[in-house]
Amino acid sequence: MRGPFDSLRGKPLLYLITATSSSGFLLFGFDNGVFSGINVLPWFLTTFSTSTNIFSTINAIFLVGAALGALLALMVGNRLGRRWTIFLGCVIAGIGAIVQGTPTKVAQLLVGRIISGVGVGVLTSTIGLWQAETTPSKVRGRYMAMQLFFGSFGNLLSTWINYGLHSYKGRFAFLFPLLFQLVFVVVTGSLILFLPESPRWLVKKGRHEQALAVMERLNGAGATYTQEELLLELQAIRQVDEMEQEAGGHLGGFFTNGPTQNFKRIALGTTVMIFHQLNGVNSISYYVPTLATDFIGAPRSEALWISGLSSVCVVVFSIIPVLFLDRFGRRVFLWFPTYLQAVTFIIVAALLAKAPPTTAGNSNSYGIAVLSFIFVFFALNNGSWFGTTWVYPAELMPLHLRERGMGFAVIWYWLFDFMMVEITPIALKNIGYKFYIILAVFNVVIATVIYFVFPETARKSLEQIDYDFAKDREGGKGLELLSENAQHVEVAHERFKRKGQVTNAASQEDAPTNV
């Protein structure tokens, strides 16, 4: 039975894949922002107990669910493939949205938050892989950053929906934004059923003819590569798959380097995810309305308006990776702005030390200054980390362990997200401005480690990244461990490169080339 998009080839197909991925990340961004407005909703505050511990747990328990979702993706992703794993995530997220949006007791709310989190965890572990494995290497960063741009748009949508409901103090202002998530669930789940599977997953399963058919579609209208070159690319993917199986394709392969340094690459990808949380982004984003209330005494409507402005800032600066991530590479987006983030936190700490939020009578001007620098932090973080965090680990992971490695990394992303969201209100209550000093130190350490340790992956095919790690192993010792056939990967990519220099001169930069 033919699907409605079977005739799409080349760039139109790539655009639809990106739109579907973006819809999934719209849900991710929406969930990241929606509860910040609910946190100051009178009906929520009076219906559910809001002691500091319960308040932070209701916010953070979603993230525990997301970590469980990443674990689920790790366990079933290889068996189901990218498409059906994404569809599974949509089903779970839809159930969670309904349970989360219609609670009468704290227990039901917590269960709904966990289920919703599981769905989002499955989606965020898999969507990036599917996009990376179906997108040309020259523009992979741009299109993957684009899905994160739409994630930031989801955050904007949630904050302005909350603001639009600021005059409603009852249950409707709670129910509507949480059930609105179903829009993204239905769109993503419907589209994914009619789009192609990742050719690299198909190769892993020995379905080489289907993989070639998908590659032909991806390199269809507007493509610059011939049938012979697609066969060469397929051969390269098969050889890398064979090469990586020498180090183990199951969980045991996590802890052995093998020819392509599996353990090192999974550790690097996981560390990037953890660093994104330790730099403080969700300590800010989850609590913008609360911070506005604490720092400047803003009423609910004004606090929601300020939160809405922060989401506009997020969207505007999320465009930067879309435009420049492929041109300047991944590393500079991760280390340079992070030093500047440290400076903003030092300034925030100094301002709060001078006039802490508890001195309400004369601290308003200081509070406005603090919020201004929080906006600067948002601009820096979303112009750098937000897109790159999800692009870079997906590129680093070895093919044969990619869904397991990405699932493992995303588990730690959500666990550290939970930790930061859980401790932020408690830390601000107990140590005040010193919390921002801690975040400043984290940012300095993170930037330094990124600069000296992490490799570049921009504008390289995923197979070339495999080969580069093999070359880097103990001065090239990894190459000695490769099978004779696998050593032809570099030859294949050199042929692509030479051919591309001729054919790309007459085509646009974003025309699909090799996938």
Side-chain angles (χ1 to χ4, degrees):
M1 180 177 177
R2 290 179 58 83
F5 307 122
D6 285 357
S7 61
L8 289 182
R9 302 173 66 84
K11 287 193 288 185
L13 179 59
L14 176 59
Y15 295 155
L16 188 57
I17 287 172
T18 304
T20 306
S21 299
S22 298
S23 176
F25 270 90
L26 270 165
L27 174 64
F28 165 61
F30 192 91
D31 269 323
N32 261 352
V34 69
F35 237 81
S36 65
I38 290 172
N39 284 333
V40 292
L41 173 66
W43 182 86
F44 169 73
L45 296 173
T46 55
T47 303
F48 304 103
S49 175
T50 53
S51 68
T52 300
N53 290 338
I54 292 295
F55 179 77
S56 60
T57 299
I58 289 173
N59 278 274
I61 199 71
F62 169 84
L63 307 170
V64 174
L68 293 174
L71 178 62
L72 178 61
L74 182 154
M75 295 170 62
V76 305
N78 183 52
R79 181 181 304 174
L80 296 180
R82 313 298 187 236
R83 293 169 60 249
W84 285 108
T85 303
I86 292 171
F87 184 77
L88 174 65
C90 289
V91 171
I92 297 172
I95 295 170
I98 294 170
V99 176
Q100 183 184 188
T102 57
T104 56
K105 298 179 181 178
V106 172
Q108 183 184 343
L109 176 59
L110 292 174
V111 170
R113 294 282 287 162
I114 291 173
I115 296 173
S116 239
V118 171
V120 171
V122 171
L123 289 171
T124 54
S125 298
T126 313
I127 286 176
L129 294 182
W130 182 58
Q131 176 90 62
E133 293 177 345
T134 54
T135 304
S137 57
K138 285 183 62 178
V139 293
R140 188 173 57 238
R142 178 192 305 173
Y143 283 97
M144 292 186 71
M146 194 176 297
Q147 69 186 15
L148 272 301
F149 166 76
F150 281 99
S152 68
F153 188 80
N155 179 273
L156 179 146
L157 191 60
S158 69
T159 54
W160 285 104
I161 285 176
N162 279 325
Y163 178 71
L165 296 170
H166 74 268
S167 60
Y168 293 84
K169 296 184 175 143
R171 185 171 185 174
F172 180 75
F174 177 89
L175 183 146
F176 181 81
L178 291 177
L179 293 184
F180 192 81
Q181 301 171 71
L182 292 172
V183 173
F184 311 122
V185 169
V186 170
V187 170
T188 307
S190 299
L191 289 176
I192 194 66
L193 294 176
F194 301 104
L195 290 170
E197 182 55 87
S198 159
R200 288 169 172 85
W201 181 81
L202 291 170
V203 167
K204 285 174 59 177
K205 296 301 178 181
R207 294 154 63 176
H208 302 137
E209 291 185 5
Q210 293 179 45
L212 181 61
V214 171
M215 292 170 65
E216 289 172 343
R217 286 189 66 192
L218 292 170
N219 290 272
T224 58
Y225 281 78
T226 65
Q227 177 75 8
E228 178 186 358
E229 290 160 333
L230 288 177
L231 288 170
L232 187 62
E233 177 70 1
L234 178 64
Q235 180 187 4
I237 296 172
R238 292 179 62 179
Q239 289 166 346
V240 167
D241 179 54
E242 294 169 4
M243 174 177 67
E244 290 180 349
Q245 289 190 57
E246 296 176 17
H250 300 285
L251 292 179
F254 273 42
F255 307 106
T256 56
N257 265 331
T260 55
Q261 304 191 75
N262 288 352
F263 178 75
K264 177 180 178 180
R265 295 164 66 178
I266 292 170
L268 289 172
T270 302
T271 302
V272 169
M273 290 289 193
I274 292 172
F275 279 174
H276 189 206
Q277 294 306 323
L278 293 181
N279 71 28
V281 60
N282 284 318
S283 293
I284 304 298
S285 64
Y286 268 73
Y287 297 111
V288 171
T290 306
L291 295 176
T293 300
D294 290 344
F295 292 159
I296 64 175
R300 175 173 171 251
S301 60
E302 187 176 329
L304 292 174
W305 181 77
I306 291 171
S307 180
L309 287 182
S310 73
S311 67
V312 173
C313 176
V314 168
V315 169
V316 169
F317 283 89
S318 293
I319 297 173
I320 294 175
V322 175
L323 299 176
F324 300 112
L325 189 59
D326 285 316
R327 179 176 300 179
F328 296 117
R330 314 321 187 215
R331 293 176 70 256
V332 68
F333 274 86
L334 293 175
W335 70 263
F336 180 69
T338 309
Y339 283 122
L340 301 180
Q341 289 173 183
V343 174
T344 64
F345 280 133
I346 290 170
I347 294 172
V348 167
L351 289 167
L352 292 178
K354 181 71 174 175
T358 52
T359 60
N362 58 1
S363 65
N364 191 274
S365 60
Y366 287 94
I368 292 172
V370 166
L371 287 176
S372 298
F373 278 99
I374 284 175
F375 271 64
V376 173
F377 170 82
F378 266 128
L380 290 168
N381 194 275
N382 286 279
S384 57
W385 277 86
F386 187 60
T388 315
T389 297
W390 295 93
V391 175
Y392 191 56
E395 296 176 326
L396 283 173
M397 298 300 174
L399 171 62
H400 212 64
L401 291 167
R402 188 164 288 143
E403 65 284 315
R404 296 184 179 98
M406 193 65 180
F408 182 78
V410 174
I411 288 171
W412 289 101
Y413 175 89
W414 290 115
L415 287 176
F416 272 79
D417 195 348
F418 168 79
M419 179 190 74
M420 297 301 290
V421 173
E422 178 76 18
I423 69 172
T424 293
I426 300 170
L428 290 175
K429 180 180 178 180
N430 291 295
I431 63 175
Y433 74 89
K434 296 176 184 176
F435 180 61
Y436 293 100
I437 295 177
I438 294 171
L439 292 179
V441 172
F442 281 166
N443 276 269
V444 170
V445 172
I446 288 168
T448 304
V449 172
I450 292 288
Y451 183 82
F452 286 105
V453 175
F454 284 71
E456 186 56 75
T457 59
R459 301 177 71 83
K460 296 179 180 179
S461 75
L462 299 177
E463 287 66 49
Q464 186 61 50
I465 293 169
D466 277 288
Y467 198 70
D468 287 347
F469 272 96
K471 288 193 296 185
D472 289 341
R473 184 184 178 194
E474 299 177 16
K477 186 176 179 180
L479 294 181
E480 300 172 7
L481 301 177
L482 302 183
S483 64
E484 181 178 348
N485 287 338
Q487 295 186 39
H488 293 296
V489 175
E490 186 172 48
V491 175
H493 285 284
E494 284 302 316
R495 284 190 60 184
F496 273 111
K497 188 184 299 182
R498 289 195 300 270
K499 184 70 174 178
Q501 288 172 351
V502 176
T503 56
N504 287 343
S507 62
Q508 295 181 351
E509 185 185 29
D510 64 347
T513 57
N514 60 309
V515 296

